[in-house]
């Protein structure tokens, strides 16, 4: 763990390093928040919680490890904790409403939009661990990176992905 800054200059350098890394990997925060919070307000709140947790955990970041892997791990822990907290508070299921999950406009075809909507509905039905697994897989992370982020073995990642793909094929074929 880095020692506490001894001067204003040291603190400024630490703040600038954190901010630069956060800006370079801001897509991770948006992606995780978009996968775990469905309304714009909830996504904004979750992104703020993730950034606060990243800042709080920043002194423990090991510069010898990839920042994006560390960032995913912190962000997913915050998101999953948030989901668990919401579940405890609400104790009921809110049906998926595609109008609440506002994706940015794109140049995709109508067929691509339909496939994306099916995938988003399938993702929402997944438990938080499988949702994280799928999101990391779709982000083309290696089994090793996924294992590190989720805190499971590489072989467990492969097994879980195989089962998840089979489950999604069945679900999407039935849709």
């Amino acid at each position: 763990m880095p020692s506490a800054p001894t001067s204003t200059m040291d603190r400024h350098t630490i703040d600038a390093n954190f901010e630069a890394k956060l800006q370079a990997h801001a897509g991770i925060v948006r992606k995780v928040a978009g996968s775990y919070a469905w309304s714009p307000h909830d996504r904004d709140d979750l992104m703020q919680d993730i950034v606060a947790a990243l800042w709080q955990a920043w002194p423990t970041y090991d510069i010898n490890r990839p920042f994006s892997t560390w960032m995913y791990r912190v962000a997913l822990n915050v998101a999953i904790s948030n989901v668990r907290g919401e579940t405890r508070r609400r104790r009921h299921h809110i049906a998926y409403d595609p109008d609440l999950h506002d994706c940015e406009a794109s140049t995709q075809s109508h067929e691509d939009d339909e496939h994306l909507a099916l995938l988003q509905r399938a993702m929402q039905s997944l438990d938080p661990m499988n949702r994280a697994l799928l999101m990391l897989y779709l982000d083309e992370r290696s089994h090793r990176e996924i294992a590190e982020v989720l805190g499971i073995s590489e072989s467990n990642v492969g097994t879980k992905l195989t089962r998840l793909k089979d489950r999604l094929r069945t679900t999407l074929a039935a849709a």
Side-chain angles (χ1 to χ4, degrees), residues 78-131:
V78 171
I80 290 169
S81 293
N82 184 306
V83 167
R84 287 179 181 148
E86 280 297 312
T87 301
R88 282 186 208 108
R89 282 189 289 277
R90 293 188 182 174
R91 293 288 185 211
H92 70 275
H93 177 73
I94 298 172
Y96 175 74
D97 183 350
D99 294 330
L100 292 177
H101 194 217
D102 61 342
C103 295
E104 294 180 16
S106 69
T107 58
Q108 296 175 328
S109 71
H110 179 67
E111 187 176 305
D112 287 344
D113 289 342
E114 287 176 3
H115 288 142
L116 182 58
L118 282 172
L119 181 59
Q120 288 171 335
R121 281 193 299 275
M123 280 184 76
Q124 187 190 19
S125 72
L126 298 173
D127 62 88
M129 176 64 110
N130 279 323
R131 194 179 310 165

Side-chain angles (χ1 to χ4, degrees), residues 124-143:
Q124 187 190 19
S125 72
L126 298 173
D127 62 88
M129 176 64 110
N130 279 323
R131 194 179 310 165
L133 180 67
L134 181 59
M135 183 181 59
L136 291 165
Y137 173 75
L138 292 174
D139 200 28
E140 298 179 355
R141 298 294 172 159
S142 69
H143 285 199

